[in-house]
Amino acid sequence: MLYLQDVKKYYKKKKAVDGVSFGIQKGEIFGLIGANGAGKSTTISMITTMLKPDGGDILFQGQSIISNPKLIREHLGYVPQDIALYLSLSGRDNLVFWGNAYHVPKNKLDERIDEICDIIGFTKDTLSQKTASYSGGMKRRLNIGAALLHRPDFLVLDEPTVGIDMIARNQILEAIKRLNHMGTTILYCGHYMEEVERLCDSFCMLHEGREIVWGSKDKLLKDSGKTLETLYYELMGTNLYLQRKEN
Ligand code: ATP
């Protein structure tokens, strides 16, 4: 569905993304993982056509989106790391705002909002309350819902569970799985290995702007004989985790 071919992005002398290649298959949950500063958000910004690469190509369904960004935009839902909601509005009014922004026909909006409530686990009562009164986890779920109003078939999530507790995180992971079962291809970006282990069919690890491994999660773990967390620390060139375990 999506293929990145030797993609590069430089900020002056800083090589934020320095020749990254990986592919995402239709229907899968794909994890883009790496430490802070590895180049994940920059890579996502190029996939979502907010940034133009300085080198390489990005193919969506076989065609370059660099020369024609529209090819991916109508398929794409993007959930940013920062919450993109108006806190003074109710949850419902936020969804109406985003529905209008995505040009969802007015006569379809109620139906879409009902669908989204099911996916993110909101009741009508919750949705009628002010967003400012929501917990961090509820805001994160609504932030995901806002990206679904135009029924994208490719959803990009940038660190969707950052800063929330275990229960809220679980609700978000379940919502992501539900969406995937409904046919949405998902690009999950983050650095929680247990989430990748639980969610993803394939993954790519980035380190200092380069991909150090990508492929099927089951195959990579079987071939290495390691847990994802151990593999991650080993490949990142640090044995801090193993030292911690030994102590
Ligand atoms: P995090 O997990 O902290 O969000 P990340 O993996 O998403 O990190 P990026 O945000 O893509 O990493 O950043 C990759 C590198 O590029 C970092 O060294 C960062 O400081 C640098 N960088 C990112 N955006 C800019 C910018 N606008 N100008 C200059 N350098 C930047």
Side-chain angles (χ1 to χ4, degrees), residues 1-4 22 24 43-53 57-78 102 147 150-156 184-187:
M1 187 180 206
L2 185 85
Y3 186 62
L4 276 75
F22 61 81
I24 301 178
T43 303
I44 281 190
S45 296
M46 292 188 280
I47 292 171
T48 53
T49 73
M50 291 182 285
L51 275 182
K52 245 188 176 10
D57 205 353
I58 304 178
L59 307 176
F60 183 71
Q61 297 174 339
Q63 290 180 278
S64 173
I65 59 167
I66 296 174
S67 44
N68 192 356
K70 272 190 184 162
L71 287 173
I72 194 168
R73 282 184 187 158
E74 63 193 54
H75 293 269
L76 189 69
Y78 171 54
Y102 283 120
H150 58 306
R151 287 190 182 145
D153 50 22
F154 179 46
L155 184 68
V156 177
T184 313
T185 306
I186 307 230
L187 169 55

Side-chain angles (χ1 to χ4, degrees), residues 161-224:
T161 59
V162 80
I164 55 173
D165 69 33
M166 292 276 285
I167 294 172
R169 182 187 282 198
N170 200 40
Q171 287 165 330
I172 288 181
L173 299 186
E174 287 308 310
I176 294 172
K177 275 197 199 161
R178 261 196 301 282
L179 269 168
N180 180 247
H181 286 146
M182 290 162 69
T184 313
T185 306
I186 307 230
L187 169 55
Y188 157 98
C189 175
H191 36 71
Y192 297 122
M193 293 308 125
E194 72 273 20
E195 294 187 0
V196 177
E197 193 117 38
R198 187 165 150 190
L199 279 182
C200 297
D201 301 296
S202 312
F203 64 85
C204 171
M205 279 185 195
L206 291 185
H207 184 53
E208 295 179 355
R210 289 166 168 261
E211 101 273 353
I212 49 173
V213 65
W214 76 272
S216 148
K217 180 187 72 186
D218 288 347
K219 186 168 186 319
L220 286 168
L221 296 188
K222 192 167 169 238
D223 289 353
S224 68

Side-chain angles (χ1 to χ4, degrees), residues 10-97:
Y10 303 150
Y11 298 108
K12 296 192 176 150
K13 281 187 183 161
K14 173 78 204 170
K15 295 178 174 179
V17 174
D18 190 24
V20 164
S21 302
F22 61 81
I24 301 178
Q25 290 182 37
K26 192 172 167 55
E28 74 173 346
I29 305 184
F30 185 93
L32 183 61
I33 53 187
N36 294 131
K40 304 180 298 295
S41 296
T42 306
T43 303
I44 281 190
S45 296
M46 292 188 280
I47 292 171
T48 53
T49 73
M50 291 182 285
L51 275 182
K52 245 188 176 10
D54 294 319
D57 205 353
I58 304 178
L59 307 176
F60 183 71
Q61 297 174 339
Q63 290 180 278
S64 173
I65 59 167
I66 296 174
S67 44
N68 192 356
K70 272 190 184 162
L71 287 173
I72 194 168
R73 282 184 187 158
E74 63 193 54
H75 293 269
L76 189 69
Y78 171 54
V79 181
Q81 209 177 107
D82 297 326
I83 301 280
L85 300 168
Y86 291 101
L87 298 184
S88 58
L89 297 181
S90 68
R92 184 181 184 81
D93 287 343
N94 267 294
L95 292 183
V96 169
F97 171 84

